[in-house]
Each structure stands twice: as structure tokens, then as C-alpha cells.
Amino acid sequence: LFSGNRMLENSWYHNLSLNFSDFNMFNFTNIMINGNYSKRYDGIQNDLTENANTISRTLTPVNVDAANETIQGMGSYEKRLGKVKLKGSANLMGSNYTNKINGLDNKNKSFNQNYKASIDTNFKEWPNFEIGFEKVFSNYTSSASESAFVTDKPFANLEAYFLKNFTLTADYEYNNYRNKNGGTTSKYDFLNMALYYHKDGSAWEFILSGKNLMNTTSIRRDGFSNNLISAFSYNVQPRYFLFSVKYDL
């Protein structure tokens, strides 16, 4: 059930952003840094009221006195060494907000971290590849519970030209997803491949591709709402193949 509230007042926001970028053509280095901080006063949140005698719940929008804060930082670094490029990135986001449950303040915190590093090549006459590793940390805390999830994800990509008119591409990733507090664990991987045929000067292109060649059936994700810490399992499309024909006018 939803109940309105005619006594709501406007919320107030503070927002601060910082951006930095540096591209050096002499040593082939590219650096980017972005930061953002936001703070909201008198934020509007739903007050969740549960009826102990029934299974009904009532949501009512109310102004929350406690300030809600979000801070996010992202950085990336690229360095080219001849035909090889080194890449690294980091993305961190933390939030601190309060909502209402049965009229009482419910304090919530989340802190998510994503780190990624890879190396790739840029050859003209040889196959090109990218190999990397990504690690994700997700930490959620509410007044009633606390959860921490970790994902390890090595990955690899390939692009190869051969027999003058053929191109082969492939991308693979392996996921090791787990709850640090125990319980939820999931390991799965994905492999996609495609073979292209295109003759120079021709408007025609033929593509044979295969998706989810490892035939993974489900994946795991976690989420954090105002009232609930959740781990989800999603069914995914099983292995399938496509033959495509492209014509450029």
C-alpha cells in the first residue's frame, strides 16, 4: 500500500566535482582522474510500516533529517610501449544514507570498489590480444545486517586477420563470485567468437558468430536497496549461433 504525505518539504543538495586529465604525446601516457561528492539535506525517503497482524506493508514518503552522502572517485592510466599498451583503472563509490522503517531511522552504508588491469597489443600483421584481471568488492551495511561480496574476473580478447579476407575475434571471461560471510558462491565463464569474411572493395560481409559457447546457464549479482541486501541469480541465454549477411549501400 502507498500513502501520500502533503507535509513534504523540498530537499537541498550540495554537489562538488573534480576532473583531471593529462595526455603526454612524448612518452605515450594518458592519465584521467574524476571525483564527485554530493550531500542531500531533508531528503525524501519512503517510510516502510509493517503490520504485525497481517502481511501488508505501507509506504509513506517523508523528509529524513539525517544528511545523505555519496562520494565517488575514478582513475585510469594508460602507457604505450611500442606495440604494447598497459592499462589500469580503479573506481570507488561510497554512500551513507538514512531511511525510515516503522518510524525509526535505518542507517545504511555501501562501499563498492572495482580494480582492473590489462595489457594489449597493436600489431598490423600479427594477431592482437588483450589479457587482464578485474576484481570487485561490494560491502553493504544496514541497521540489521551486513554483507560483503567479492568477484575475481580474469579475461582475454583476441583479434586475428588471416588469409587476407578473414577476421577472427574471441572474448573470454571467468567469474568467481562469492559472499565473504559464507553462503553464496558461484563460478561461471563466458566465451564468444565470431568469424568475418570481407573482400576489399566489396559491399558484402558475411559473419558467423557463436555466443555463450561455454553454455553458462546463470549468473550472480548483488544489490542494495533502501530496505534489503540481496544476492540475485539470473538465467541467461544458452549457447547459440548466428549467421549474418551485411551489405553497405
Side-chain angles (χ1 to χ4, degrees):
L1 301 177
F2 180 83
S3 175
N5 183 1
R6 62 180 181 178
M7 304 303 293
L8 289 175
E9 299 180 357
N10 294 328
S11 299
W12 296 86
Y13 289 85
H14 295 306
N15 192 74
L16 176 65
S17 297
L18 177 66
N19 301 290
F20 171 82
S21 63
D22 178 65
F23 177 69
N24 193 318
M25 296 183 62
F26 296 99
N27 59 13
F28 302 102
T29 301
N30 187 15
I31 301 174
M32 294 186 63
I33 301 175
N34 301 306
N36 181 265
Y37 172 78
S38 63
K39 192 170 187 177
R40 181 175 61 177
Y41 297 92
D42 293 329
I44 299 176
Q45 299 279 358
N46 286 324
D47 184 356
L48 175 63
T49 302
E50 297 180 332
N51 191 328
N53 299 322
T54 66
I55 60 173
S56 64
R57 295 181 175 183
T58 303
L59 292 176
T60 304
V62 297
N63 288 104
V64 178
D65 295 332
N68 294 334
E69 299 173 289
T70 300
I71 185 169
Q72 183 175 14
M74 181 182 66
S76 64
Y77 174 86
E78 294 184 0
K79 174 72 174 180
R80 184 174 294 279
L81 302 171
K83 298 295 184 179
V84 177
K85 181 188 290 186
L86 305 176
K87 297 189 293 185
S89 65
N91 192 339
L92 294 84
M93 182 175 180
S95 64
N96 183 8
Y97 65 94
T98 303
N99 64 330
K100 295 279 188 178
I101 297 181
N102 294 326
L104 302 176
D105 286 349
N106 179 47
K107 299 184 181 298
N108 305 275
K109 294 181 180 180
S110 67
F111 183 45
N112 300 311
Q113 307 168 67
N114 185 299
Y115 303 97
K116 187 176 183 180
S118 66
I119 177 173
D120 63 26
T121 61
N122 186 27
F123 299 115
K124 290 184 178 180
E125 298 180 356
W126 295 92
N128 288 298
F129 64 87
E130 179 183 17
I131 299 176
F133 183 82
E134 183 176 358
K135 195 174 186 73
V136 181
F137 300 92
S138 301
N139 296 274
Y140 308 113
T141 304
S142 67
S143 299
S145 61
E146 180 177 353
S147 293
F149 301 92
V150 179
T151 301
D152 296 321
K153 185 167 71 173
F155 62 91
N157 303 311
L158 172 70
E159 185 177 46
Y161 303 93
F162 62 98
L163 298 180
K164 189 177 180 179
N165 300 319
F166 289 90
T167 303
L168 176 67
T169 64
D171 58 87
Y172 173 82
E173 67 175 44
Y174 175 83
N175 292 264
N176 182 4
Y177 174 89
R178 59 196 182 277
N179 188 336
K180 293 179 65 176
N181 299 329
T184 303
T185 301
S186 181
K187 298 180 181 180
Y188 54 91
D189 54 357
F190 287 98
L191 173 63
N192 304 312
M193 299 185 69
L195 179 64
Y196 300 81
Y197 175 79
H198 178 252
K199 190 174 182 180
D200 288 343
S202 174
W204 294 93
E205 184 178 27
F206 303 92
I207 308 167
L208 177 62
S209 59
K211 304 294 185 180
N212 190 14
L213 295 179
M214 307 305 293
N215 206 29
T216 296
T217 58
S218 64
I219 62 175
R220 287 279 188 172
R221 292 290 187 270
D222 53 78
F224 190 36
S225 67
N226 290 348
N227 308 306
L228 187 65
I229 300 173
S230 304
F232 303 94
S233 178
Y234 294 96
N235 293 327
V236 297
Q237 177 98 14
R239 180 193 302 122
Y240 65 97
F241 297 90
L242 290 173
F243 178 72
S244 308
V245 178
K246 179 180 176 182
Y247 180 81
D248 291 329
L249 298 177

